[in-house]
Amino acid sequence: MGDKRQEILSIIKDTRSLPILPGIITKLNALAQNSKSSIQEMARLVSSDQVLSARVLRLVNSPSYGFYRVSTISNAMILLGIDVVKCLALSTSIFEIMEQNIMGLWEHSLGTGVAANVIACRLKLAETEEISTAGLLHDIGKVIIKLKFQDDYDQLLKLVEERDIYYNKAELELLGIDHSDVGGWLANSWYLPEKLVEPIMYHHDVSKAKNHQVKTAVVHLADVLVKASGFGFSGDDLVPQIQPLAWQRLNLNEQFLAELVEEIEDRLIDAKNFSMELQEGNETRT
């Protein structure tokens, strides 16, 4: 078991063997960190990707933002902010990595991103788009395990089915490590910000998050509620308890939770349509 853990860690350290993010995100990060960069430079870069451009304009013109007929990428980036556009680009890229490999997991992740957005908005938290992205990425470690250890992944699913146990418990038994650690390591290797790394790494144990415990609690709750809804497939059909610390950090009560569930169920219908739309778009591009 120890050998397998070290093998996984070695693969994560060898970034050449991992899925890479498209150059547009690397360039966007570089421009955003350079104080001499202008919004026009970033807009030209985003405009070079027609799919991303279309999604930026679609987002900025959506009713939830309340802007009126924004038609240029530079204006959209001013209104949305660079971080939101980066999250959108990241989400698009992650979809392409995940959708090609595990459709059920992609839908679970998409649903968790949607649910995290609903929870963050209802709680009036800042950085709702970043929290949504953290929800979308929370199980990225499972993708790496499937991509790099297909035989082990098959054994994991078999063990889950035979013993009716949680997927992450099967990971710990077979691999000595679970997907949240793998996902956290991958996020660090991609130089993602800590506000994304902590929810990915600690969504099964909110108490371990030190600097972004509320964001981590939101992703944890979103993960649980989406599993309870049966949307997508995360590796097992069991629904864990909401951790007491998440109740406390998000100031939850039964009535508020019931309202959340109702709104999330409605939004998951839209998520299913969105998933189908992205799949059709990818098929068109290939």
Side-chain angles (χ1 to χ4, degrees):
M1 184 187 299
D3 291 342
K4 181 62 70 176
R5 179 186 172 90
Q6 286 304 314
E7 188 180 351
I8 294 172
L9 182 57
S10 297
I11 283 182
I12 296 293
K13 286 181 175 177
D14 181 10
T15 54
R16 294 169 302 179
S17 69
L18 293 173
I20 60 172
L21 293 176
I24 193 167
I25 293 180
T26 305
K27 291 176 183 176
L28 260 181
N29 276 330
L31 287 173
Q33 291 170 5
N34 186 345
S35 59
K36 296 181 180 178
S37 300
S38 67
I39 199 78
Q40 286 73 24
E41 288 179 275
M42 298 183 208
R44 278 197 295 273
L45 177 62
V46 172
S47 298
S48 68
D49 186 315
Q50 60 180 350
V51 174
L52 179 58
S53 298
R55 288 177 184 161
V56 167
L57 291 174
R58 177 180 167 187
L59 179 64
V60 76
N61 285 292
S62 64
S64 58
Y65 275 91
F67 301 130
Y68 183 70
R69 293 185 182 179
V70 180
S71 59
T72 68
I73 297 298
S74 56
N75 283 343
M77 293 187 72
I78 290 169
L79 292 168
L80 292 173
I82 304 302
D83 284 343
V84 170
V85 175
K86 282 164 58 181
C87 284
L88 194 60
L90 185 60
S91 301
T92 302
S93 305
I94 295 301
F95 171 81
E96 292 177 355
I97 293 171
M98 294 182 71
E99 184 273 337
Q100 293 168 5
N101 293 281
I102 322 174
M103 196 59 220
L105 178 58
W106 157 248
E107 290 195 337
H108 168 75
S109 300
L110 176 63
T112 304
V114 167
N117 182 273
V118 170
I119 297 165
C121 289
R122 289 292 298 267
L123 293 172
K124 301 186 187 310
L125 301 178
E127 302 180 315
T128 54
E129 293 299 330
E130 286 86 346
I131 294 173
S132 301
T133 302
L136 178 66
L137 298 178
H138 77 290
D139 274 347
I140 190 66
K142 292 178 182 175
V143 180
I144 298 306
I145 292 171
K146 183 178 187 301
L147 285 175
K148 300 299 177 182
F149 301 94
Q150 180 66 57
D151 290 344
D152 292 304
Y153 182 78
D154 293 340
Q155 287 186 43
L156 286 168
L157 294 181
K158 185 177 179 182
L159 183 60
V160 166
E161 184 177 0
E162 287 178 349
R163 293 177 46 197
D164 195 25
I165 59 176
Y166 287 108
Y167 179 86
N168 62 327
K169 182 177 181 181
E171 288 176 320
L172 291 171
E173 287 192 18
L174 279 181
L175 309 177
I177 191 172
D178 77 4
H179 63 277
S180 57
D181 278 331
V182 175
W185 292 344
L186 179 66
N188 278 318
S189 77
W190 280 346
Y191 303 104
L192 299 185
E194 190 182 43
K195 57 189 173 186
L196 296 182
V197 175
E198 280 202 356
I200 292 170
M201 204 159 194
Y202 302 128
H203 64 272
H204 287 302
D205 190 349
V206 177
S207 67
K208 289 184 177 177
K210 301 303 178 189
N211 299 311
H212 300 282
Q213 204 165 72
V214 169
K215 290 184 176 67
T216 304
V218 170
V219 173
H220 163 73
L221 176 61
D223 183 29
V224 172
L225 295 183
V226 170
K227 289 199 73 172
S229 77
F231 186 80
F233 181 66
S234 66
D236 64 64
D237 294 320
L238 303 175
V239 180
Q241 294 284 322
I242 299 170
Q243 293 187 344
L245 183 57
W247 279 92
Q248 178 188 336
R249 298 295 286 137
L250 303 181
N251 195 26
L252 298 175
N253 58 57
E254 294 290 349
Q255 180 180 348
F256 181 67
L257 191 61
E259 292 170 359
L260 276 178
V261 169
E262 184 176 355
E263 184 172 352
I264 287 170
E265 290 290 344
D266 288 340
R267 291 281 301 277
L268 289 180
I269 296 172
D270 295 334
K272 184 67 178 179
N273 293 332
F274 180 61
S275 171
M276 295 173 65
E277 179 185 324
L278 286 181
Q279 290 176 66
E280 291 170 359
N282 271 12
E283 289 172 359
T284 302
R285 295 173 69 188
T286 56

